[in-house]
Amino acid sequence: DKESLNFFDMINTSVARLDQILKKLFLVSEIKQNDIIPEIFSIRDSLETVISSFKSEIKDKNFKIVYRGEDLNFCSDKKLFETLVKNIVDNTFTYNRKADPELIVEINKQENSMLITFWDNGKGIKAEHQIKIFDMFYKASDLSKGNGLGLYIAKNAVQLLKGEISVISKENEFTQINVSIPEYQKQS
C-alpha cells in the first residue's frame, strides 16, 4: 500500500543519512589517530582528481571550474590533502547558485608552504556563522542538507598537517576558503 511505501522510503532516507554521518565520524577518528605519511605529489593533479570525482554535480549544474597558479610538487600527506579538498569542494557543490556556478582554485607557492584558495560564487555565509563553520556538527542554515562535519573534517586534516584554514564570505555573493600548509619537514 502507498502509506507503507512512503514509510519505507522515509526509513531508507534516514538510514542513508546516518550512514553518511557514521562514515564521516569514522574519518574524523581516523584523521585524529593517524601519523603523517609524507610523499611528494603534484598539487594540481590531486586537486583535479578530487574535483573530477564530482563530475555528475559539475555536469548537472553546469559548473565552471578554473585553476590558477602554477602546479608544484609538494611534500605532504597526499591522503590528508585530498580529504580536506574533498570536504571543502563538497560544500561548494552543495551550496551553490542556481545560475552560472563557478569554482576557482588558486595555488600559490610561498617560502616553505603553499596557499590554496577555493573561491565560489555560491550562497555565501552570514557573518555571524563564519566563526563557527569549522565546528563539529555546525550547520549555518536550517535548510542545510549536510551533517555539519565536512568543514570540521577539513579543519582537522589541515591542523594535522600543521596548517591553517580560514574563510572570507559575503552572503549571497561568494565564499573563499584559504588553506595554508607547510611543506613537510623531517623532524631531527
Side-chain angles (χ1 to χ4, degrees):
D1 89 36
K2 190 175 182 178
E3 188 177 349
S4 294
L5 288 174
N6 284 341
F7 182 67
F8 283 119
D9 195 35
M10 288 185 338
I11 290 172
N12 194 31
T13 301
S14 294
V15 168
R17 278 194 198 129
L18 285 172
D19 185 52
Q20 281 299 106
I21 290 172
L22 288 174
K23 284 178 182 173
K24 287 202 171 194
L25 286 172
F26 180 75
L27 185 58
V28 168
S29 173
E30 199 175 62
I31 288 170
K32 289 183 178 257
Q33 293 177 15
N34 277 349
D35 291 326
I36 292 175
I37 302 169
E39 64 182 285
I40 296 173
F41 61 96
S42 161
I43 294 297
R44 176 76 176 256
D45 287 350
S46 279
L47 287 167
E48 288 179 357
T49 297
V50 172
I51 292 171
S52 71
S53 73
F54 291 92
K55 62 181 164 254
S56 65
E57 289 90 338
I58 294 168
K59 184 180 177 196
D60 293 347
K61 298 173 181 178
N62 200 26
F63 246 93
K64 180 180 178 187
I65 310 293
V66 177
Y67 296 95
R68 293 187 179 151
E70 62 186 80
D71 185 16
L72 58 115
N73 288 325
F74 196 74
C75 186
S76 190
D77 187 306
K78 183 179 180 183
K79 182 180 176 189
L80 274 176
F81 175 75
E82 290 181 351
T83 296
L84 74 90
V85 170
K86 180 181 186 293
N87 282 282
I88 290 169
V89 171
D90 185 39
N91 271 22
T92 297
F93 293 125
T94 302
Y95 304 106
N96 63 71
R97 291 181 189 202
K98 302 295 180 216
D100 302 321
E102 183 175 22
L103 169 63
I104 299 171
V105 183
E106 188 168 348
I107 306 166
N108 288 297
K109 175 77 173 132
Q110 299 175 326
E111 192 170 323
N112 292 312
S113 65
M114 70 163 161
L115 173 65
I116 300 183
T117 302
F118 301 86
W119 182 94
D120 70 67
N121 63 347
K123 295 178 181 177
I125 304 164
K126 289 182 182 177
E128 64 264 23
H129 295 291
Q130 291 178 26
I131 196 161
K132 300 176 187 173
I133 63 167
F134 298 109
D135 294 352
M136 183 183 253
F137 296 119
Y138 188 79
K139 298 194 283 186
S141 166
D142 292 333
L143 303 174
S144 173
K145 299 173 224 151
N147 51 35
L149 288 170
L151 292 177
Y152 176 77
I153 290 169
K155 177 189 81 169
N156 277 272
V158 169
Q159 286 176 335
L160 188 59
L161 295 171
K162 309 238 183 295
E164 296 177 10
I165 187 169
S166 63
V167 64
I168 301 167
S169 187
K170 186 165 184 184
E171 189 179 15
N172 298 317
E173 288 191 31
F174 74 93
T175 297
Q176 178 176 313
I177 305 272
N178 300 309
V179 175
S180 176
I181 299 173
E183 190 141 24
Y184 179 80
Q185 303 290 322
K186 206 173 197 174
Q187 304 297 317
S188 45

PDB file of all heavy atoms in Angstrom, residues 13-40:
ATOM      1  N   THR A  13      15.743   6.839   3.647  1.00  0.00           N
ATOM      2  CA  THR A  13      16.397   8.153   3.646  1.00  0.00           C
ATOM      3  C   THR A  13      17.135   8.382   4.967  1.00  0.00           C
ATOM      4  O   THR A  13      18.282   8.843   4.979  1.00  0.00           O
ATOM      5  CB  THR A  13      15.366   9.276   3.402  1.00  0.00           C
ATOM      6  OG1 THR A  13      14.733   9.046   2.141  1.00  0.00           O
ATOM      7  CG2 THR A  13      16.009  10.648   3.404  1.00  0.00           C
ATOM      8  N   SER A  14      16.480   8.046   6.082  1.00  0.00           N
ATOM      9  CA  SER A  14      17.107   8.216   7.408  1.00  0.00           C
ATOM     10  C   SER A  14      18.338   7.334   7.561  1.00  0.00           C
ATOM     11  O   SER A  14      19.369   7.768   8.094  1.00  0.00           O
ATOM     12  CB  SER A  14      16.105   7.905   8.514  1.00  0.00           C
ATOM     13  OG  SER A  14      15.073   8.845   8.509  1.00  0.00           O
ATOM     14  N   VAL A  15      18.248   6.110   7.106  1.00  0.00           N
ATOM     15  CA  VAL A  15      19.380   5.185   7.194  1.00  0.00           C
ATOM     16  C   VAL A  15      20.548   5.708   6.357  1.00  0.00           C
ATOM     17  O   VAL A  15      21.698   5.662   6.791  1.00  0.00           O
ATOM     18  CB  VAL A  15      18.961   3.755   6.765  1.00  0.00           C
ATOM     19  CG1 VAL A  15      20.174   2.862   6.564  1.00  0.00           C
ATOM     20  CG2 VAL A  15      18.030   3.148   7.801  1.00  0.00           C
ATOM     21  N   ALA A  16      20.264   6.223   5.163  1.00  0.00           N
ATOM     22  CA  ALA A  16      21.321   6.767   4.301  1.00  0.00           C
ATOM     23  C   ALA A  16      22.009   7.955   4.971  1.00  0.00           C
ATOM     24  O   ALA A  16      23.242   8.078   4.928  1.00  0.00           O
ATOM     25  CB  ALA A  16      20.741   7.171   2.945  1.00  0.00           C
ATOM     26  N   ARG A  17      21.228   8.824   5.617  1.00  0.00           N
ATOM     27  CA  ARG A  17      21.821   9.976   6.324  1.00  0.00           C
ATOM     28  C   ARG A  17      22.704   9.510   7.479  1.00  0.00           C
ATOM     29  O   ARG A  17      23.808  10.021   7.676  1.00  0.00           O
ATOM     30  CB  ARG A  17      20.721  10.884   6.873  1.00  0.00           C
ATOM     31  CG  ARG A  17      20.176  11.830   5.858  1.00  0.00           C
ATOM     32  CD  ARG A  17      19.355  12.931   6.523  1.00  0.00           C
ATOM     33  NE  ARG A  17      18.517  13.567   5.547  1.00  0.00           N
ATOM     34  CZ  ARG A  17      17.218  13.755   5.684  1.00  0.00           C
ATOM     35  NH1 ARG A  17      16.603  13.357   6.777  1.00  0.00           N
ATOM     36  NH2 ARG A  17      16.534  14.350   4.751  1.00  0.00           N
ATOM     37  N   LEU A  18      22.213   8.552   8.258  1.00  0.00           N
ATOM     38  CA  LEU A  18      23.001   8.018   9.379  1.00  0.00           C
ATOM     39  C   LEU A  18      24.283   7.363   8.879  1.00  0.00           C
ATOM     40  O   LEU A  18      25.337   7.505   9.499  1.00  0.00           O
ATOM     41  CB  LEU A  18      22.175   7.015  10.190  1.00  0.00           C
ATOM     42  CG  LEU A  18      21.114   7.624  11.093  1.00  0.00           C
ATOM     43  CD1 LEU A  18      20.234   6.534  11.702  1.00  0.00           C
ATOM     44  CD2 LEU A  18      21.758   8.450  12.197  1.00  0.00           C
ATOM     45  N   ASP A  19      24.193   6.658   7.756  1.00  0.00           N
ATOM     46  CA  ASP A  19      25.367   6.021   7.175  1.00  0.00           C
ATOM     47  C   ASP A  19      26.411   7.081   6.817  1.00  0.00           C
ATOM     48  O   ASP A  19      27.596   6.913   7.102  1.00  0.00           O
ATOM     49  CB  ASP A  19      24.967   5.203   5.938  1.00  0.00           C
ATOM     50  CG  ASP A  19      26.139   4.434   5.364  1.00  0.00           C
ATOM     51  OD1 ASP A  19      26.805   3.704   6.129  1.00  0.00           O
ATOM     52  OD2 ASP A  19      26.390   4.575   4.148  1.00  0.00           O
ATOM     53  N   GLN A  20      25.973   8.191   6.220  1.00  0.00           N
ATOM     54  CA  GLN A  20      26.890   9.285   5.874  1.00  0.00           C
ATOM     55  C   GLN A  20      27.544   9.864   7.123  1.00  0.00           C
ATOM     56  O   GLN A  20      28.743  10.131   7.143  1.00  0.00           O
ATOM     57  CB  GLN A  20      26.160  10.386   5.108  1.00  0.00           C
ATOM     58  CG  GLN A  20      25.939  10.082   3.651  1.00  0.00           C
ATOM     59  CD  GLN A  20      27.247   9.892   2.921  1.00  0.00           C
ATOM     60  OE1 GLN A  20      27.620   8.766   2.589  1.00  0.00           O
ATOM     61  NE2 GLN A  20      27.980  10.948   2.687  1.00  0.00           N
ATOM     62  N   ILE A  21      26.753  10.080   8.163  1.00  0.00           N
ATOM     63  CA  ILE A  21      27.293  10.626   9.412  1.00  0.00           C
ATOM     64  C   ILE A  21      28.320   9.671  10.007  1.00  0.00           C
ATOM     65  O   ILE A  21      29.407  10.088  10.420  1.00  0.00           O
ATOM     66  CB  ILE A  21      26.160  10.928  10.424  1.00  0.00           C
ATOM     67  CG1 ILE A  21      25.330  12.121   9.935  1.00  0.00           C
ATOM     68  CG2 ILE A  21      26.728  11.203  11.816  1.00  0.00           C
ATOM     69  CD1 ILE A  21      24.083  12.377  10.750  1.00  0.00           C
ATOM     70  N   LEU A  22      28.006   8.384  10.049  1.00  0.00           N
ATOM     71  CA  LEU A  22      28.937   7.401  10.619  1.00  0.00           C
ATOM     72  C   LEU A  22      30.238   7.343   9.813  1.00  0.00           C
ATOM     73  O   LEU A  22      31.323   7.269  10.395  1.00  0.00           O
ATOM     74  CB  LEU A  22      28.292   6.021  10.682  1.00  0.00           C
ATOM     75  CG  LEU A  22      27.210   5.870  11.749  1.00  0.00           C
ATOM     76  CD1 LEU A  22      26.519   4.515  11.626  1.00  0.00           C
ATOM     77  CD2 LEU A  22      27.796   6.039  13.141  1.00  0.00           C
ATOM     78  N   LYS A  23      30.143   7.405   8.486  1.00  0.00           N
ATOM     79  CA  LYS A  23      31.350   7.397   7.653  1.00  0.00           C
ATOM     80  C   LYS A  23      32.211   8.618   7.944  1.00  0.00           C
ATOM     81  O   LYS A  23      33.433   8.521   8.045  1.00  0.00           O
ATOM     82  CB  LYS A  23      30.982   7.363   6.170  1.00  0.00           C
ATOM     83  CG  LYS A  23      30.527   6.001   5.700  1.00  0.00           C
ATOM     84  CD  LYS A  23      30.127   6.024   4.231  1.00  0.00           C
ATOM     85  CE  LYS A  23      29.627   4.650   3.799  1.00  0.00           C
ATOM     86  NZ  LYS A  23      29.071   4.667   2.444  1.00  0.00           N
ATOM     87  N   LYS A  24      31.572   9.767   8.096  1.00  0.00           N
ATOM     88  CA  LYS A  24      32.340  10.996   8.362  1.00  0.00           C
ATOM     89  C   LYS A  24      32.931  10.976   9.775  1.00  0.00           C
ATOM     90  O   LYS A  24      34.061  11.416   9.983  1.00  0.00           O
ATOM     91  CB  LYS A  24      31.484  12.234   8.129  1.00  0.00           C
ATOM     92  CG  LYS A  24      31.260  12.471   6.640  1.00  0.00           C
ATOM     93  CD  LYS A  24      30.899  13.888   6.324  1.00  0.00           C
ATOM     94  CE  LYS A  24      30.913  14.069   4.814  1.00  0.00           C
ATOM     95  NZ  LYS A  24      30.902  15.450   4.426  1.00  0.00           N
ATOM     96  N   LEU A  25      32.183  10.450  10.757  1.00  0.00           N
ATOM     97  CA  LEU A  25      32.728  10.345  12.110  1.00  0.00           C
ATOM     98  C   LEU A  25      33.908   9.373  12.147  1.00  0.00           C
ATOM     99  O   LEU A  25      34.904   9.603  12.845  1.00  0.00           O
ATOM    100  CB  LEU A  25      31.643   9.907  13.094  1.00  0.00           C
ATOM    101  CG  LEU A  25      30.619  10.975  13.452  1.00  0.00           C
ATOM    102  CD1 LEU A  25      29.486  10.380  14.279  1.00  0.00           C
ATOM    103  CD2 LEU A  25      31.272  12.129  14.202  1.00  0.00           C
ATOM    104  N   PHE A  26      33.812   8.299  11.384  1.00  0.00           N
ATOM    105  CA  PHE A  26      34.929   7.359  11.282  1.00  0.00           C
ATOM    106  C   PHE A  26      36.144   8.067  10.687  1.00  0.00           C
ATOM    107  O   PHE A  26      37.264   7.895  11.149  1.00  0.00           O
ATOM    108  CB  PHE A  26      34.535   6.140  10.442  1.00  0.00           C
ATOM    109  CG  PHE A  26      35.640   5.142  10.301  1.00  0.00           C
ATOM    110  CD1 PHE A  26      35.994   4.314  11.358  1.00  0.00           C
ATOM    111  CD2 PHE A  26      36.354   5.051   9.115  1.00  0.00           C
ATOM    112  CE1 PHE A  26      37.034   3.411  11.242  1.00  0.00           C
ATOM    113  CE2 PHE A  26      37.398   4.154   8.980  1.00  0.00           C
ATOM    114  CZ  PHE A  26      37.740   3.317  10.050  1.00  0.00           C
ATOM    115  N   LEU A  27      35.918   8.886   9.679  1.00  0.00           N
ATOM    116  CA  LEU A  27      37.001   9.644   9.050  1.00  0.00           C
ATOM    117  C   LEU A  27      37.635  10.611  10.046  1.00  0.00           C
ATOM    118  O   LEU A  27      38.865  10.737  10.102  1.00  0.00           O
ATOM    119  CB  LEU A  27      36.477  10.389   7.822  1.00  0.00           C
ATOM    120  CG  LEU A  27      37.493  11.136   6.971  1.00  0.00           C
ATOM    121  CD1 LEU A  27      38.584  10.202   6.456  1.00  0.00           C
ATOM    122  CD2 LEU A  27      36.787  11.805   5.804  1.00  0.00           C
ATOM    123  N   VAL A  28      36.821  11.280  10.862  1.00  0.00           N
ATOM    124  CA  VAL A  28      37.346  12.175  11.901  1.00  0.00           C
ATOM    125  C   VAL A  28      38.258  11.391  12.841  1.00  0.00           C
ATOM    126  O   VAL A  28      39.379  11.814  13.143  1.00  0.00           O
ATOM    127  CB  VAL A  28      36.200  12.843  12.707  1.00  0.00           C
ATOM    128  CG1 VAL A  28      36.733  13.535  13.952  1.00  0.00           C
ATOM    129  CG2 VAL A  28      35.436  13.828  11.841  1.00  0.00           C
ATOM    130  N   SER A  29      37.785  10.239  13.296  1.00  0.00           N
ATOM    131  CA  SER A  29      38.560   9.401  14.197  1.00  0.00           C
ATOM    132  C   SER A  29      39.867   8.963  13.542  1.00  0.00           C
ATOM    133  O   SER A  29      40.932   8.995  14.158  1.00  0.00           O
ATOM    134  CB  SER A  29      37.723   8.179  14.591  1.00  0.00           C
ATOM    135  OG  SER A  29      38.492   7.275  15.328  1.00  0.00           O
ATOM    136  N   GLU A  30      39.779   8.582  12.278  1.00  0.00           N
ATOM    137  CA  GLU A  30      40.957   8.138  11.538  1.00  0.00           C
ATOM    138  C   GLU A  30      41.978   9.268  11.416  1.00  0.00           C
ATOM    139  O   GLU A  30      43.174   9.061  11.600  1.00  0.00           O
ATOM    140  CB  GLU A  30      40.503   7.673  10.150  1.00  0.00           C
ATOM    141  CG  GLU A  30      41.479   6.791   9.432  1.00  0.00           C
ATOM    142  CD  GLU A  30      40.890   6.275   8.126  1.00  0.00           C
ATOM    143  OE1 GLU A  30      40.582   7.103   7.232  1.00  0.00           O
ATOM    144  OE2 GLU A  30      40.742   5.053   8.004  1.00  0.00           O
ATOM    145  N   ILE A  31      41.504  10.480  11.103  1.00  0.00           N
ATOM    146  CA  ILE A  31      42.406  11.632  10.970  1.00  0.00           C
ATOM    147  C   ILE A  31      43.113  11.905  12.283  1.00  0.00           C
ATOM    148  O   ILE A  31      44.320  12.120  12.327  1.00  0.00           O
ATOM    149  CB  ILE A  31      41.635  12.893  10.496  1.00  0.00           C
ATOM    150  CG1 ILE A  31      41.244  12.746   9.031  1.00  0.00           C
ATOM    151  CG2 ILE A  31      42.454  14.163  10.714  1.00  0.00           C
ATOM    152  CD1 ILE A  31      40.281  13.816   8.536  1.00  0.00           C
ATOM    153  N   LYS A  32      42.365  11.873  13.381  1.00  0.00           N
ATOM    154  CA  LYS A  32      42.941  12.213  14.684  1.00  0.00           C
ATOM    155  C   LYS A  32      43.957  11.169  15.168  1.00  0.00           C
ATOM    156  O   LYS A  32      44.812  11.470  15.974  1.00  0.00           O
ATOM    157  CB  LYS A  32      41.839  12.407  15.712  1.00  0.00           C
ATOM    158  CG  LYS A  32      41.051  13.680  15.474  1.00  0.00           C
ATOM    159  CD  LYS A  32      40.006  13.889  16.544  1.00  0.00           C
ATOM    160  CE  LYS A  32      39.275  15.173  16.324  1.00  0.00           C
ATOM    161  NZ  LYS A  32      39.674  16.244  17.191  1.00  0.00           N
ATOM    162  N   GLN A  33      43.868   9.941  14.655  1.00  0.00           N
ATOM    163  CA  GLN A  33      44.764   8.880  15.116  1.00  0.00           C
ATOM    164  C   GLN A  33      45.947   8.638  14.191  1.00  0.00           C
ATOM    165  O   GLN A  33      46.865   7.915  14.547  1.00  0.00           O
ATOM    166  CB  GLN A  33      43.974   7.572  15.274  1.00  0.00           C
ATOM    167  CG  GLN A  33      42.967   7.638  16.392  1.00  0.00           C
ATOM    168  CD  GLN A  33      42.145   6.370  16.494  1.00  0.00           C
ATOM    169  OE1 GLN A  33      42.483   5.350  15.933  1.00  0.00           O
ATOM    170  NE2 GLN A  33      41.060   6.445  17.238  1.00  0.00           N
ATOM    171  N   ASN A  34      45.920   9.208  13.011  1.00  0.00           N
ATOM    172  CA  ASN A  34      46.958   8.915  12.029  1.00  0.00           C
ATOM    173  C   ASN A  34      48.184   9.784  12.181  1.00  0.00           C
ATOM    174  O   ASN A  34      48.108  10.923  12.629  1.00  0.00           O
ATOM    175  CB  ASN A  34      46.412   9.090  10.604  1.00  0.00           C
ATOM    176  CG  ASN A  34      45.683   7.860  10.135  1.00  0.00           C
ATOM    177  OD1 ASN A  34      45.747   6.817  10.754  1.00  0.00           O
ATOM    178  ND2 ASN A  34      44.986   7.992   9.026  1.00  0.00           N
ATOM    179  N   ASP A  35      49.288   9.212  11.776  1.00  0.00           N
ATOM    180  CA  ASP A  35      50.523   9.970  11.634  1.00  0.00           C
ATOM    181  C   ASP A  35      50.581  10.451  10.195  1.00  0.00           C
ATOM    182  O   ASP A  35      49.966   9.874   9.301  1.00  0.00           O
ATOM    183  CB  ASP A  35      51.734   9.080  11.919  1.00  0.00           C
ATOM    184  CG  ASP A  35      51.817   8.685  13.389  1.00  0.00           C
ATOM    185  OD1 ASP A  35      51.432   9.502  14.248  1.00  0.00           O
ATOM    186  OD2 ASP A  35      52.265   7.556  13.666  1.00  0.00           O
ATOM    187  N   ILE A  36      51.347  11.487   9.986  1.00  0.00           N
ATOM    188  CA  ILE A  36      51.518  11.996   8.628  1.00  0.00           C
ATOM    189  C   ILE A  36      52.403  11.028   7.847  1.00  0.00           C
ATOM    190  O   ILE A  36      53.442  10.585   8.332  1.00  0.00           O
ATOM    191  CB  ILE A  36      52.142  13.403   8.654  1.00  0.00           C
ATOM    192  CG1 ILE A  36      51.137  14.387   9.261  1.00  0.00           C
ATOM    193  CG2 ILE A  36      52.576  13.851   7.268  1.00  0.00           C
ATOM    194  CD1 ILE A  36      51.667  15.783   9.450  1.00  0.00           C
ATOM    195  N   ILE A  37      51.946  10.704   6.646  1.00  0.00           N
ATOM    196  CA  ILE A  37      52.732   9.860   5.743  1.00  0.00           C
ATOM    197  C   ILE A  37      53.125  10.745   4.561  1.00  0.00           C
ATOM    198  O   ILE A  37      52.344  10.917   3.617  1.00  0.00           O
ATOM    199  CB  ILE A  37      51.923   8.627   5.285  1.00  0.00           C
ATOM    200  CG1 ILE A  37      51.477   7.818   6.504  1.00  0.00           C
ATOM    201  CG2 ILE A  37      52.750   7.777   4.318  1.00  0.00           C
ATOM    202  CD1 ILE A  37      50.458   6.749   6.204  1.00  0.00           C
ATOM    203  N   PRO A  38      54.321  11.345   4.643  1.00  0.00           N
ATOM    204  CA  PRO A  38      54.701  12.307   3.602  1.00  0.00           C
ATOM    205  C   PRO A  38      55.090  11.633   2.293  1.00  0.00           C
ATOM    206  O   PRO A  38      55.637  10.527   2.282  1.00  0.00           O
ATOM    207  CB  PRO A  38      55.902  13.027   4.221  1.00  0.00           C
ATOM    208  CG  PRO A  38      56.489  12.032   5.158  1.00  0.00           C
ATOM    209  CD  PRO A  38      55.335  11.200   5.669  1.00  0.00           C
ATOM    210  N   GLU A  39      54.748  12.302   1.212  1.00  0.00           N
ATOM    211  CA  GLU A  39      55.190  11.899  -0.118  1.00  0.00           C
ATOM    212  C   GLU A  39      55.179  13.140  -0.998  1.00  0.00           C
ATOM    213  O   GLU A  39      54.490  14.115  -0.705  1.00  0.00           O
ATOM    214  CB  GLU A  39      54.293  10.803  -0.697  1.00  0.00           C
ATOM    215  CG  GLU A  39      52.851  11.228  -0.928  1.00  0.00           C
ATOM    216  CD  GLU A  39      51.975  10.097  -1.454  1.00  0.00           C
ATOM    217  OE1 GLU A  39      52.103   9.767  -2.647  1.00  0.00           O
ATOM    218  OE2 GLU A  39      51.172   9.568  -0.666  1.00  0.00           O
ATOM    219  N   ILE A  40      55.928  13.091  -2.057  1.00  0.00           N
ATOM    220  CA  ILE A  40      55.951  14.209  -2.996  1.00  0.00           C
ATOM    221  C   ILE A  40      54.884  13.938  -4.052  1.00  0.00           C
ATOM    222  O   ILE A  40      54.832  12.848  -4.620  1.00  0.00           O
ATOM    223  CB  ILE A  40      57.342  14.379  -3.630  1.00  0.00           C
ATOM    224  CG1 ILE A  40      58.357  14.749  -2.532  1.00  0.00           C
ATOM    225  CG2 ILE A  40      57.306  15.444  -4.728  1.00  0.00           C
ATOM    226  CD1 ILE A  40      59.793  14.774  -2.989  1.00  0.00           C
TER     227      ILE A  40
END
